[in-house]
Amino acid sequence: MKIHKFDPAEISGIIFDLDGVITNTASIHSVAWQKSFDTHLKEISKKKFIKSDYLNYIDGKPRLNGIQDYLNSRKIKITKLLVDTISREKNYLFQSLIKINEIETFNDSIKLLKEIKKQKIKVAVASSSKNCRLILKKTKLLRIFDFIIDGNDLEKRKIKGKPNPDIFLIAIKKLKLNKHKTLIFEDSSSGIISAANSGAKFIIGVARSSNNKELMKAGANIVVNSIDQIRINKWT
C-alpha cells in the first residue's frame, strides 16, 4: 500500500466531497435512485437501473443533472414532469432511508479529519447533495468544517454543479486558500473533473468502488483505495 506524505506547513487547505468520501451514504443514494427510476420507467423500458448506472451518470452530480444524464443514456424523452417526479421521489426515499438507518462514516476519513484539525489546517465540504447539512448534523460532523457548500447553495446562487468547477472555486475563495497548496478529495469522475478544473494542485481520487482507472482518467493525480494512504504530519 503506497503512502503519500504531506507536510502540513505546505498545505493551505483541504476540501472534501461528502458521499462516498466521508460518509457511506453513496450506497443509500444508489438504492433510492434505483427504486425511483425503476418505479417511474417500468412502463417505458424493461431495462433496470444498476450500480454502474449510478457511477456513470449520477454520482457526484446535482440531482436534476444526474436524472437528465441518465435519461439521455437510455434515450428516454425528457419532460419537466418526469424529471421533477423522479427527483421528488428519490429525495423522499433517501430521507426516509437515512431516518431509519444509522449513517456510517468511514474511519479513515474521520482519522484524517482529526489530524487536520490538530494541525489547524482549514477544511471544507463541497457536495452536490441537498441533504449535505442534514447528514453532517446527524453524524455530528457539522461543526468540524470551516466552510460548507452544497446542492442547496448551488440552487440558490444559480451555480452549475459538478463537473463544473465553481463549487470548488467558491470554497477556495471563501477560505482564502492557495490553489497550489490545496488538496481535494473526490470519489466520482464528475467530482474529479470539477476539482481538476478548479486549478487545485492535489486532486486525490478515493476509489472505494474500485474505480481507480476512471478517477485517474478523469484527472486525479493521486488515487487511493483508502484515505489511510494519505498522511499529513510533521516529518522529521
Side-chain angles (χ1 to χ4, degrees):
M1 182 173 72
K2 185 176 180 179
I3 303 298
H4 303 270
K5 298 180 180 180
F6 292 89
D7 185 337
E10 297 178 353
I11 297 175
S12 177
I14 301 176
I15 306 171
F16 288 86
D17 179 35
L18 179 66
D19 300 313
V21 176
I22 296 174
T23 60
N24 192 16
T25 36
S27 58
I28 303 176
H29 278 293
S30 185
V31 169
W33 279 117
Q34 180 266 317
K35 289 184 178 179
S36 300
F37 278 123
D38 287 351
T39 296
H40 294 288
L41 300 183
K42 63 183 178 183
E43 295 181 3
I44 301 173
S45 172
K46 292 182 180 179
K47 184 180 177 182
K48 299 286 187 179
F49 183 86
I50 57 177
K51 184 179 180 180
S52 60
D53 291 326
Y54 175 73
L55 294 174
N56 291 332
Y57 305 110
I58 306 291
D59 192 20
K61 299 176 184 177
R63 193 186 312 152
L64 298 181
N65 292 12
I67 294 170
Q68 291 170 359
D69 287 350
Y70 178 64
L71 294 177
N72 278 328
S73 78
R74 296 272 297 270
K75 294 181 171 58
I76 293 171
K77 183 179 179 181
I78 296 174
T79 66
K80 186 176 186 303
L81 177 61
L82 180 60
V83 171
D84 288 348
T85 301
I86 292 172
S87 176
R88 285 195 303 271
E89 176 70 10
K90 184 270 170 181
N91 197 46
Y92 172 78
L93 285 170
F94 178 77
Q95 290 188 345
S96 298
L97 288 168
I98 63 174
K99 281 180 183 177
I100 62 174
N101 292 286
E102 183 178 351
I103 297 176
E104 179 188 357
T105 56
F106 292 109
N107 290 333
D108 53 0
S109 294
I110 301 304
K111 186 164 68 175
L112 184 63
L113 278 169
K114 288 179 179 178
E115 183 60 35
I116 290 167
K117 296 305 288 185
K118 192 187 301 181
Q119 301 290 352
K120 296 182 180 179
I121 296 170
K122 293 177 183 177
V123 60
V125 163
S127 170
S128 297
S129 175
K130 290 184 177 181
N131 294 296
C132 175
R133 284 178 172 81
L134 174 65
I135 292 166
L136 289 174
K137 186 175 181 180
K138 188 167 182 179
T139 53
K140 298 180 181 179
L141 293 172
L142 192 63
R143 295 185 179 182
I144 201 170
F145 297 98
D146 300 296
F147 180 67
I148 297 167
I149 182 167
D150 64 11
N152 291 307
D153 299 312
L154 296 179
E155 185 174 77
K156 288 175 186 175
R157 301 185 191 190
K158 296 182 180 180
I159 297 166
K160 291 181 180 179
K162 303 171 187 177
N164 185 282
D166 286 357
I167 192 168
F168 291 115
L169 290 172
I170 289 169
I172 289 167
K173 183 177 180 180
K174 183 69 177 179
L175 294 181
K176 298 179 181 178
L177 305 182
N178 180 339
K179 290 183 183 181
H180 300 293
K181 296 182 178 182
T182 297
L183 278 67
I184 299 179
F185 287 84
E186 267 286 355
D187 72 316
S188 69
S189 293
S190 62
I192 291 293
I193 293 169
S194 174
N197 287 336
S198 75
K201 185 174 181 180
F202 300 104
I203 312 303
I204 302 173
V206 184
R208 298 196 194 277
S209 300
S210 300
N211 53 335
N212 304 59
K213 291 181 180 179
E214 290 82 357
L215 298 181
M216 190 65 75
K217 185 178 179 181
N221 43 37
I222 297 173
V223 175
V224 297
N225 295 104
S226 168
I227 292 180
D228 281 334
Q229 291 174 250
I230 303 297
R231 305 286 173 81
I232 298 174
N233 285 301
K234 293 180 180 177
W235 305 100
T236 56

